[in-house]
Amino acid sequence: MTTGTEQVVEAEIETAEAGKNESFDGAIADTDKNESTTEHHHGPAKGISRWFFTTNHKDIGSMYLWFSLTMFMVGGCMALMIRTELFQPGLQFIQPDFFNQMTTMHGLIMVFGAVMPAFVGLANWMIPMMVGAPDMALPRLNNWSFWILPFAFSIMLMTLFMEGGGPNFGWTFYAPLSTTFAPPSVTYFIFAVHMMGISSIMGAINVIVTILNMRAPGMNMMKLPLFVWTWLITAFLLILVMPVLAGVVTMMLMDIHFGTSFFSAAGGGDPVLFQHIFWFFGHPEVYIMILPAFGIVSEIIPTFARKKLFGYSSMVYATSSIAFLSFIVWAHHMFTVGLPLAGELFFMFATMLIAVPTGVKVFNWVATMFRGSMTFETPMLFALAFVVLFSIGGFSGLMLAIAPADFQYHDTYFVVAHFHYVLVPGSIFSIMAATYYWLPKWTGNYYNEKMGKIHFWLSFIGINITFFPMHFVGLAGMPRRVPDYALQFADFNAVATVGAFLFGFSQLLFIYNVVCCIRKKNQASKQVWEGAHGLEWTLPSPAPYHSFTKPPKVD
Ligand code: HEM
Ligand SMILES: [Cu+2]
């Protein structure tokens, strides 16, 4: 998304009053002289090699975002295939085993290929500009963390064309289904998971080192923008749980090829052990997909409410406590495996406890808007929908946390509705809000606001038509991961499928708007949004290829 119009400004110009910009919570930023193209700071290289060898955080951020958008489209097409099959009972649009492959791949690609890389892309673009650093701390590692991903996902997608087909055992790839009864492609799947994990861990190391070591003078920890704080905590979660994922797939590999029986009861192993290890990774994983979203919304709501964020420090403490609690709730995914009662009670209460810091966040967003002078540009619409619809996902999460009640909800469409409300209007809407919010700074052009609003309303309506009915077929007992179902669920499934297509096609508007914004001149101001605060808004639009080569002073 970096445009060709990089501005060239002599770096060594003495400080001129004009450079001062009172926009960052009373802090003074010294910016204009922070754009440079000197012998040390060349502009972008030419041709395709630019993208292969770039170590520039903006280039790498763009590549993560384009990759994530591509994966979102691939995962979305798979979702539409699933929904077409589920439009009516008895349809054989796709074969049952291929349906299982599509469900599995849809989940894996959306989680590891769309949402996670999108947040890393936003982190790459924004963290250096928000903390006043010239780039990420480890630029070459950064290049490599990105280029592993297309490699890993090509292998993952290629499994669909291998003998026996791709992984068909769900995105949770429970053993022994994924070890004893899996298609031969499972070994490639394991290799791809390892690659993804390495990419995530390296990206997380880069984020932590950049935030802790490259902040501009005066930018102490309790001055960090919330997006930066939430990413710092997310990065620690990634470093702690991605090795657990690597561990469990390695144990799978051992069981498949080297005769061990970690998860085979016949060999003295324990299939339930797999679930404990998977969800010890899996639950923090869902917070890895939502904490950065909390940060994005905390940046956007104050801007369009034209009020300071309410309860900054309580937001930081709430994020930290959510991250901590996310490590002690994993077995709420396993209430029906026959846990001891004390275990069920512990995981039930621990899960309900997460509602407290989450509630603090929702309260602070509402308090920020209270008596604000609000305007509803596209980023704000997506941010508001996030707050409302994510809360719906949160409430159904609380219902699922009640162990005895979960015996009814477990593995039904109520669960599918729950996690899509936290992942689609949650993570995905926050990523779209962030894109509309920072796109003018990345490209130097305003996007088409009218088209943005149409995209928002079609997405909002589409998403609710798709996933709200799922709560009710789930409560009525419709199981998940089935290509066919009883007749009484037909109407709601037909509605959900129509909603999915409405949502799916309206995303084409988003792509069109982004491409037009890159190509068509519609000069954005430096400030872009009147109420915006932050160092990134002190830079010109578009942000120069190298920014903050000289650290700004943040008092
Ligand atoms: C955008 C529109 C989307 C639609 C219409 C959609 C539809 C579906 C459906 C129908 C299923 C259940 C399949 C079944 O159990 O038989 C499913 C599963 C799933 N979806 Fe989505 N989805 C969408 C977006 C997303 C996004 C954005 C994410 C993640 C970020 C996601 C993650 C998942 C996961 C993890 C599963 C579970 C797969 C499994 O059971 O193994 N979905 N999706
Ligand atoms: Cu969980």
mmCIF file of all heavy atoms in Angstrom, residues 202 316 421:
data_model
loop_
_atom_site.group_PDB
_atom_site.id
_atom_site.type_symbol
_atom_site.label_atom_id
_atom_site.label_comp_id
_atom_site.label_asym_id
_atom_site.label_seq_id
_atom_site.Cartn_x
_atom_site.Cartn_y
_atom_site.Cartn_z
ATOM 1 N N MET A 202 8.646 -15.529 15.713
ATOM 2 C CA MET A 202 9.642 -14.510 15.323
ATOM 3 C C MET A 202 8.993 -13.135 15.244
ATOM 4 O O MET A 202 9.564 -12.142 15.675
ATOM 5 C CB MET A 202 10.259 -14.887 13.988
ATOM 6 C CG MET A 202 11.112 -16.138 14.080
ATOM 7 S SD MET A 202 12.212 -16.301 12.693
ATOM 8 C CE MET A 202 11.052 -16.454 11.380
ATOM 9 N N VAL A 316 -5.164 -0.998 30.501
ATOM 10 C CA VAL A 316 -3.896 -1.749 30.480
ATOM 11 C C VAL A 316 -3.979 -2.920 31.465
ATOM 12 O O VAL A 316 -3.654 -4.057 31.131
ATOM 13 C CB VAL A 316 -2.713 -0.824 30.829
ATOM 14 C CG1 VAL A 316 -1.423 -1.626 30.953
ATOM 15 C CG2 VAL A 316 -2.567 0.283 29.794
ATOM 16 N N TYR A 421 -19.367 -14.852 16.323
ATOM 17 C CA TYR A 421 -19.661 -13.480 16.778
ATOM 18 C C TYR A 421 -18.410 -12.823 17.369
ATOM 19 O O TYR A 421 -18.188 -11.627 17.220
ATOM 20 C CB TYR A 421 -20.826 -13.457 17.790
ATOM 21 C CG TYR A 421 -22.127 -13.090 17.122
ATOM 22 C CD1 TYR A 421 -22.963 -14.073 16.595
ATOM 23 C CD2 TYR A 421 -22.521 -11.765 16.965
ATOM 24 C CE1 TYR A 421 -24.133 -13.757 15.932
ATOM 25 C CE2 TYR A 421 -23.699 -11.431 16.308
ATOM 26 C CZ TYR A 421 -24.499 -12.433 15.798
ATOM 27 O OH TYR A 421 -25.667 -12.090 15.125
#
